[in-house]
Amino acid sequence: MKEYEAIPITDPNPATYLQHSPKEDYDYTLHYFRDAPDSRIDFILSYREVIDDSDDASETTPIQKTGKELEARNKRRVFEENLEKKGISIERESYDKRKGHETQRIVYVKLHATKECLFNYGEQLQIKKMLRVDPMQIFRDEYKEERGCLDWKTFSTLHGNEKFYKNEIWDEMKNHKISARFEQKKADRFVNHDQPGFFSTSERSYIVAYILQETPYTEDTKNGNNKSSVGIEYLLADDVYTSWYPLHDGPYEMPGTDTQEDGEKVYLNDRQVLSRFWSDWGQWYKYQPLNRVRIYFGDTVAMYFAWLGFYTKLLIVPAVVGAMVFLYDIYSIWGNEVVHSVCYNETLKAEIICPPCDTENCVKSTKTLGSFCSLFMIANAFNNGGSVFFAIFISFWSAFFLEFWKRYQITLAFLWSKADFKVSQEPARPEYAVTCDENDVRYNPITLRWEPYREQSIYKTLTGISVVIITVFVVLITLVSIIIYKIAVYSTFEGLAQAGLKPYASTMSSVSGSMIQLIAITVLSQVYAWLAEKITLWENFRTETEYQNNLTVKRFIFEFFNYYGSCFYIAFVKGNFIGYPGAYNRIFGFRLDSCGPGGCLGELAQNLAIIFLGKQILNNIQELLLPNIKSWMSRRRSKKYLAESESSEEIAVKVPHTPAPWEADNDLTEQENLFPEYLEMVIQYGFATMFVVAFPIAPLFALINNIVEIRLDAKKYTELFKRPIPINCMSIGIWYGILDYMASIAII
């Protein structure tokens, strides 16, 4: 029986597992420089080039056929020279593939931040580290001495059975220590300041990424001119480098046990711990190891999963209540007086109702009240006392959910030493800093530093607002087009000679219209996502938080109308302006859309089911398939090195049997920001609160989806994505305001 044990989360040395698992097949020494075994690889840059060996096979030289290739080589040279001046050590690995008289080469540039570099930028970026003296320990001792009857251990035990529901947040509260912003002159006051692992691997990645974003890559930039030629993003856009990423700590697969003796512990790296005890589907009912997620992936990723887990946990109550209300709705159909009269009273069933047409052939299209029995059943299933009770319940739940999350969020910020994090303390984005002149600075009284600053352009702000307004009008035009389509389909079916199809005219037009609406929503979302990102980059906000907030507002306004426009139309507009028999209102010759005899609530439920469930299914399929497809394509290109070199005459010159860690990570899917994940959940939250009267089992489907979503997203981050660059945060940001806004609409 093998026993797995993780490296202690408080261990300051990221290389501890090297000493603990010497029998493991994986070679962890590859995570260090070949010529400097103590230098850990913090970041990887990769690029490709073509070399010519036709003249001298013993010495290959890069081809310089075009000015672009020569310019790319010169930019790389200057960029890497500047990195070394900032304290970044560099080592290279290259692999070649011969094709005729040319050799195609892929080069991996390994970066290591020296201790002096880490200390300088750790202070500049205000990274917090634990202090040697812990004032909180004095408080805990005094509290325990005063209270006596309750301590942290007792409280943690009462909170839950740790065997099945281990919650690292409570463990961290028991051992929490005070942190402070790192300062070089006071380095001796911090825990393990003289150890190689003083800065964690994610903090080292954060520092190196910031250096890459602020380093110039042209000669005139070094002399003070052409300040726009700064940052790795521009080099990636010009194909000077093909990718940049921090290395994962090792493989995510569990180590083999064939070399381990019985009873011997198998030590895991952080990635294996997260893969085994977090992203594994068998862990769906357990607490998430948020502390390890934060240390490995950074604050933003951990905060997202904390919010998603909290939201999922609180969905249990409305899911259960909603399922009970739904069952009551189904049961109440048979005792509903209106349904009984329409469906079972022979006298009323034969009553001829007012025909919906206003032409000379009205008499030919007369219908009896009994022909609408099924529509009355559906409508009255969602229009009773149970639905009213559930609407009131959801209003209270949405308000309590936000308040409880606010408390939990503040607790996490305190435990993660981010409670005093403010945007004013956040450093300027490199893309913003390079556009500021020497005089564009201001003194920050909080950080006590001079920082690049320039007033935001009114012209750019107005342009951004105009783009949002125009795209909202595009959504409204699309919605009107679909409404006209529904009217046309309904009129076509009503005019058919086959009397058997006429009762289904409303259903056919509604279902087909909702399907088209779902397709339109998906396409417009992709187009506007690209447009919003380009506009926000052009506006050039000062900090990463400001950039993300403005991008979020732009996209959410669009998505709000995109997803909820048709639902609001059916719920509040449809059927209110149709006119009356003999004087119906028309558009393009077609009579305005109207609700069926049972009202619009049944159609709203149908529309919600198609869009809400269809969106969840499409998103899960996309999240499951796309990363795997992209990773497979990347591995395929990596084996061939270049897509166009598929000749059987090619010979691999220098290819290792087992991919090195920088090669394995290069084949992973590029990391995306968390905006799509938040947007998906917030849109779901809107469906589960604003229109819950028409679809009471929406919270149940949301709960099932979120249980899958947590493990699916965790698997993407641990197994399929490149390791993300950590970003500081103390909350979910502007998403809380958006949730509050949607809760207010739901209550109204």
Side-chain angles (χ1 to χ4, degrees):
M1 181 68 180
K2 300 295 182 281
E3 181 179 352
Y4 294 112
E5 182 167 319
I7 302 302
I9 201 165
T10 56
D11 191 338
N13 189 358
T16 303
Y17 48 77
L18 293 179
Q19 306 167 11
H20 282 311
S21 56
K23 295 183 180 180
E24 187 167 344
D25 296 336
Y26 186 80
D27 187 5
Y28 280 99
T29 60
L30 292 174
H31 287 257
Y32 294 80
F33 276 16
R34 181 180 61 256
D35 299 330
D38 295 333
S39 299
R40 183 183 179 88
I41 300 173
D42 297 317
F43 227 93
I44 295 292
L45 303 177
S46 68
Y47 63 89
R48 299 183 181 188
E49 64 180 1
V50 180
I51 58 177
D52 187 6
D53 51 0
S54 58
D55 298 330
D56 186 0
S58 62
E59 183 178 356
T60 58
T61 57
I63 295 177
Q64 299 175 5
K65 295 181 179 180
T66 65
K68 184 177 181 180
E69 294 172 354
L70 178 60
E71 183 182 5
R73 291 191 63 231
N74 186 59
K75 287 180 179 179
R76 281 194 295 266
R77 178 184 60 80
V78 175
F79 185 68
E80 292 171 11
E81 288 177 358
N82 290 337
L83 287 177
E84 290 178 328
K85 292 178 181 178
K86 293 176 180 288
I88 301 294
S89 301
I90 296 177
E91 188 177 75
R92 295 175 180 82
E93 296 283 349
S94 62
Y95 305 104
D96 299 344
K97 187 174 186 178
R98 188 171 299 157
K99 182 179 181 181
H101 296 296
E102 295 181 355
T103 300
Q104 298 165 340
R105 171 174 294 173
I106 181 171
V107 181
Y108 296 96
V109 183
K110 299 182 286 187
L111 306 180
H112 165 76
T114 61
K115 181 178 179 181
E116 294 76 14
C117 174
L118 292 172
F119 276 31
N120 289 334
Y121 280 90
E123 180 177 1
Q124 178 179 337
L125 297 176
Q126 305 174 41
I127 295 177
K128 286 191 172 184
K129 305 301 294 182
M130 286 191 301
L131 292 171
R132 285 183 178 275
V133 180
D134 183 15
M136 285 298 293
Q137 185 60 45
I138 302 174
F139 168 78
R140 282 195 293 267
D141 293 341
E142 292 178 351
Y143 182 84
K144 183 176 179 180
E145 200 173 296
E146 177 184 350
R147 298 292 180 180
C149 60
L150 183 66
D151 58 12
W152 288 107
K153 184 177 181 180
T154 305
F155 186 74
S156 179
T157 304
L158 292 174
H159 179 70
N161 189 339
E162 293 190 358
K163 182 177 180 181
F164 299 102
Y165 301 100
K166 184 174 179 60
N167 188 348
E168 284 195 357
I169 295 302
W170 298 109
D171 292 343
E172 188 172 357
M173 290 181 69
K174 292 187 295 183
N175 303 311
H176 183 69
K177 293 186 177 181
I178 293 297
S179 301
R181 296 186 186 91
F182 176 74
E183 296 184 29
Q184 293 189 71
K185 61 182 180 181
K186 301 177 182 178
D188 58 336
R189 301 184 183 182
F190 295 89
V191 178
N192 299 318
H193 72 282
D194 55 347
Q195 297 296 320
F198 176 60
F199 288 101
S200 67
T201 55
S202 61
E203 290 170 340
R204 297 172 71 99
S205 302
Y206 173 61
I207 291 173
V208 175
Y210 184 84
I211 295 173
L212 291 172
Q213 290 172 317
E214 70 160 11
T215 301
Y217 54 82
T218 57
E219 296 284 354
D220 51 356
T221 309
K222 294 197 298 182
N223 298 328
N225 302 318
N226 192 19
K227 298 184 71 175
S228 62
S229 301
V230 175
I232 185 67
E233 286 89 353
Y234 295 102
L235 295 176
L236 292 169
D238 293 338
D239 292 328
V240 177
Y241 292 100
T242 55
S243 62
W244 68 315
Y245 50 91
L247 281 182
H248 279 288
D249 280 356
Y252 66 85
E253 298 91 347
M254 299 298 289
T257 58
D258 53 341
T259 58
Q260 305 291 332
E261 299 177 1
D262 288 339
E264 184 178 359
K265 293 180 179 179
V266 179
Y267 287 86
L268 309 176
N269 62 49
D270 277 346
R271 192 183 183 193
Q272 289 171 329
V273 170
L274 293 175
S275 178
R276 172 64 180 84
F277 300 104
W278 180 45
S279 65
D280 187 84
W281 293 104
Q283 309 297 316
W284 66 270
Y285 61 93
K286 295 185 179 180
Y287 280 104
Q288 300 182 80
L290 295 176
N291 205 27
R292 284 191 177 271
V293 174
R294 181 185 69 87
I295 290 177
Y296 192 77
F297 292 115
D299 295 336
T300 52
V301 175
M303 189 62 73
Y304 163 72
F305 280 102
W307 176 81
L308 180 56
F310 186 85
Y311 169 49
T312 303
K313 181 170 64 176
L314 263 67
L315 268 177
I316 295 175
V317 176
V320 173
V321 175
M324 295 174 62
V325 170
F326 179 75
L327 294 176
Y328 171 78
D329 290 343
I330 300 300
Y331 173 77
S332 65
I333 292 176
W334 313 111
N336 187 280
E337 184 178 350
V338 175
V339 173
H340 186 272
S341 300
V342 173
C343 299
Y344 303 107
N345 190 309
E346 297 297 334
T347 303
L348 292 177
K349 283 175 61 177
E351 289 288 337
I352 298 177
I353 64 173
C354 183
C357 63
D358 55 352
T359 62
E360 296 180 356
N361 297 323
C362 273
V363 179
K364 297 181 180 180
S365 61
T366 56
K367 298 178 182 178
T368 61
L369 186 61
S371 62
F372 297 102
C373 174
S374 59
L375 295 179
F376 273 95
M377 283 186 173
I378 295 174
N380 285 276
F382 304 106
N383 190 11
N384 53 51
S387 299
V388 174
F389 159 76
F390 194 46
I392 297 173
F393 172 82
I394 282 293
S395 299
F396 281 101
W397 177 86
S398 59
F400 282 118
F401 163 69
L402 293 177
E403 292 303 317
F404 288 147
W405 165 249
K406 187 189 297 184
R407 295 178 59 189
Y408 186 57
Q409 178 178 258
I410 294 173
T411 302
L412 292 177
F414 171 74
L415 294 176
W416 295 347
S417 301
K418 295 295 187 293
D420 59 346
F421 177 78
K422 297 180 177 62
V423 176
S424 56
Q425 299 172 351
E426 193 175 356
R429 296 169 63 241
E431 299 91 338
Y432 176 88
V434 299
T435 60
C436 296
D437 298 328
E438 295 181 359
N439 297 326
D440 293 335
V441 294
R442 71 172 181 180
Y443 183 74
N444 192 327
I446 298 178
T447 61
L448 305 179
R449 299 175 185 272
W450 289 95
E451 299 175 344
Y453 178 79
R454 185 175 57 189
E455 292 292 339
Q456 186 67 25
S457 171
I458 299 297
Y459 166 71
K460 291 185 176 181
T461 302
L462 293 177
T463 302
I465 295 174
S466 301
V467 170
V468 174
I469 294 174
I470 292 173
T471 52
V472 168
F473 273 111
V474 171
V475 173
L476 295 178
I477 292 172
T478 305
L479 177 60
V480 171
S481 301
I482 293 174
I483 293 172
I484 295 175
Y485 163 82
K486 290 182 178 181
I487 296 173
V489 171
Y490 180 82
S491 300
T492 301
F493 273 89
E494 278 289 322
L496 290 176
Q498 293 88 347
L501 293 177
K502 291 183 180 181
Y504 303 101
S506 178
T507 303
M508 293 296 295
S509 63
S510 178
V511 171
S512 61
S514 297
M515 296 295 293
I516 295 175
Q517 178 82 16
L518 179 61
I519 297 173
I521 285 173
T522 305
V523 174
L524 289 175
S525 294
Q526 297 297 324
V527 173
Y528 186 71
W530 174 84
L531 179 61
E533 184 175 359
K534 294 298 182 183
I535 291 294
T536 310
L537 283 172
W538 176 69
E539 289 181 281
N540 196 18
F541 291 96
R542 193 181 73 87
T543 65
E544 184 67 25
T545 300
E546 292 175 348
Y547 167 79
Q548 293 294 340
N549 287 348
N550 280 272
L551 178 61
T552 299
V553 170
K554 287 185 181 67
R555 286 201 59 183
F556 178 75
I557 292 175
F558 173 83
E559 300 293 357
F560 183 88
F561 286 93
N562 196 23
Y563 279 100
Y564 302 135
S566 60
C567 296
F568 275 107
Y569 167 75
I570 296 173
F572 301 108
V573 178
K574 185 175 182 180
N576 292 330
F577 306 100
I578 61 171
Y580 53 89
Y584 286 114
N585 296 321
R586 297 180 177 275
I587 180 172
F588 300 120
F590 296 106
R591 186 162 56 84
L592 288 181
D593 202 9
S594 62
C595 300
C600 290
L601 205 57
E603 184 178 345
L604 178 60
Q606 179 180 274
N607 188 70
L608 283 169
I610 293 175
I611 295 179
F612 177 61
L613 298 180
K615 171 183 171 295
Q616 289 190 340
I617 293 172
L618 289 177
N619 284 340
N620 287 332
I621 292 175
Q622 178 180 343
E623 291 183 9
L624 184 63
L625 294 182
L626 284 185
N628 284 283
I629 293 174
K630 291 180 180 179
S631 182
W632 174 81
M633 293 177 64
S634 180
R635 289 194 302 270
R636 187 171 180 270
R637 286 195 302 266
S638 180
K639 291 179 181 179
K640 297 180 178 181
Y641 287 145
L642 289 178
E644 64 269 15
S645 57
E646 299 181 356
S647 172
S648 60
E649 301 176 0
E650 299 160 357
I651 302 174
V653 177
K654 186 170 57 174
V655 181
H657 295 291
T658 303
W662 47 86
E663 292 181 280
D665 286 8
N666 190 46
D667 294 337
L668 299 177
T669 306
E670 288 291 340
Q671 175 61 46
E672 302 174 352
N673 61 42
L674 286 167
F675 178 86
E677 310 295 343
Y678 272 117
L679 180 64
E680 178 186 354
M681 291 298 104
V682 171
I683 293 296
Q684 179 202 91
Y685 174 82
F687 280 120
T689 55
M690 292 191 297
F691 305 101
V692 75
V693 174
F695 198 52
I697 55 174
L700 177 62
F701 284 112
L703 174 64
I704 297 172
N705 175 81
N706 289 3
I707 292 174
V708 175
E709 184 77 20
I710 291 176
R711 305 306 159 183
L712 188 60
D713 287 347
K715 190 169 289 291
K716 288 193 306 183
Y717 273 89
T718 54
E719 301 178 11
L720 301 177
F721 281 171
K722 289 182 173 70
R723 189 172 182 177
I725 299 170
I727 301 176
N728 290 327
C729 75
M730 64 169 292
S731 65
I732 61 174
I734 200 170
W735 290 109
Y736 181 85
I738 292 175
L739 290 170
D740 191 22
Y741 165 75
M742 297 182 70
S744 301
I745 296 179
I747 293 173
I748 294 174

